[in-house]
Amino acid sequence: MKRWLALPLALLLSSPALAEIRGEEVRYSADGVNLHGYIAWDDSVSGPRPGVIVVHEWWGHNDYVRDRARQLAALGYTALAVDMFGDGRTADHPDNAGAFAREVAQNADIRRSRFNAAMDVLNAHPTVKNDQLAALGYCFGGSVVLNMAREGAPLAGVVAYHAGLASPVAAQAGVTQSRVRVFNGAADPMVPPEQVAAFEAEMRASGVDFAVVNYDGVLHGFTNPGADAFAERFGLPLGFDEAADSDSWAQTQSFLQELFAQ
């Protein structure tokens, strides 16, 4: 698969610990659709390291998902913030966001093709240990990484934050190999308790190594500092929660360390 790289972005972050973080825009494609990603890594770390795919919310590939990629790079991983909508499209209204998300969510071939193309890009990066990959996903992106895991994508583990857990795809013993972690807001009306219970039953039936963390009183979008602004602007049941965001990120770090401890 061909890969196009733009010029490196001039990223010199304020924290000394992040001073060696580099970032590049990447151009790749799937089934004739141009995709706009962003890859970040710590240039001061020698040798190949695990790679982490980061899948955006239904707002599309924006600064938030790039920030997450840089945070992962600061932890010693190479992270690729992907584009699941094509042409780097982002939404500025829930109507557009929903339309973009449905285009992918309702077509497994599109979702699979675009995600697999991203895995190829990440595996091809010179800083990445081939086939040592994990994936994180937020909201829409959380559903994407869960479905890729359900289908047996070669991912050591996946983490989903405030993600829809219902799916026409079911995890299966012998197919689903990824370890799974889910962080959910217990007050999220988009992911009701019965959906969480059904997901847990599905995971147990398939023998998947999984854990679900529910945060009391926490709404959808709790990891995104911009959630409150979206909620006010569009009347959506969203809300950033600093404690839940901090705890889920700490647990994610521990989980990634466990996945790749060798």
Side-chain angles (χ1 to χ4, degrees):
M1 181 185 62
K2 294 182 179 179
R3 180 161 62 112
W4 295 268
L5 296 181
L7 292 175
L9 298 181
L11 290 177
L12 185 59
L13 304 184
S14 58
S15 169
L18 304 183
E20 300 299 326
I21 301 304
R22 290 188 58 192
E24 290 180 346
E25 295 187 2
V26 293
R27 299 290 184 266
Y28 57 109
S29 63
D31 297 327
V33 176
N34 293 322
L35 304 167
H36 299 195
Y38 175 85
I39 196 163
W41 72 97
D42 186 342
D43 206 30
S44 70
V45 175
S46 61
R49 71 222 59 177
V52 183
I53 289 173
V54 189
V55 187
H56 51 76
E57 299 175 289
W58 72 342
W59 305 111
H61 179 113
N62 54 20
D63 288 341
Y64 173 70
V65 75
R66 291 186 175 209
D67 287 343
R68 288 297 186 184
R70 287 191 287 267
Q71 287 178 303
L72 288 161
L75 296 173
Y77 305 101
T78 295
L80 174 64
V82 306
D83 171 17
M84 293 298 292
F85 293 162
D87 294 319
R89 289 182 296 171
T90 58
D92 57 6
H93 190 279
D95 289 347
N96 294 335
F100 293 163
R102 284 190 297 274
E103 177 187 351
V104 177
Q106 295 178 359
N107 190 320
D109 289 339
I110 290 176
R111 184 252 302 157
R112 195 178 301 116
S113 176
R114 293 178 186 179
F115 190 93
N116 287 339
M119 285 199 299
D120 289 342
V121 170
L122 189 54
N123 265 323
H125 197 268
T127 65
V128 173
K129 290 183 180 179
N130 281 351
D131 301 318
Q132 289 203 17
L133 302 182
L136 313 184
Y138 297 84
C139 182
F140 157 83
S143 300
V144 168
V145 303
L146 289 173
N147 282 335
M148 292 304 301
R150 285 173 165 117
E151 293 177 353
L155 299 164
V158 301
V159 184
Y161 312 84
H162 41 87
L165 304 178
S167 173
V169 183
Q172 299 180 52
V175 175
T176 306
Q177 304 295 326
S178 306
R179 299 172 65 185
V180 174
R181 298 294 181 268
V182 168
F183 298 98
N184 182 64
D188 183 350
M190 301 181 192
V191 189
E194 56 268 28
Q195 189 178 124
V196 177
F199 175 81
E200 292 174 331
E202 174 196 347
M203 293 294 112
R204 283 192 294 269
S206 62
V208 172
D209 178 335
F210 83 100
V212 176
V213 178
N214 273 306
Y215 295 108
D216 289 341
V218 171
L219 292 170
H220 194 78
F222 62 83
T223 63
N224 190 340
D228 293 337
F230 286 129
E232 182 176 357
R233 181 179 177 188
F234 299 116
L236 297 173
L238 308 175
F240 174 64
D241 189 286
E242 185 175 1
D245 175 45
S246 178
D247 182 75
S248 60
W249 189 245
Q251 291 199 51
T252 296
Q253 292 178 55
S254 297
F255 179 56
L256 292 174
Q257 289 170 359
E258 292 173 12
L259 291 178
F260 301 116
Q262 292 182 359

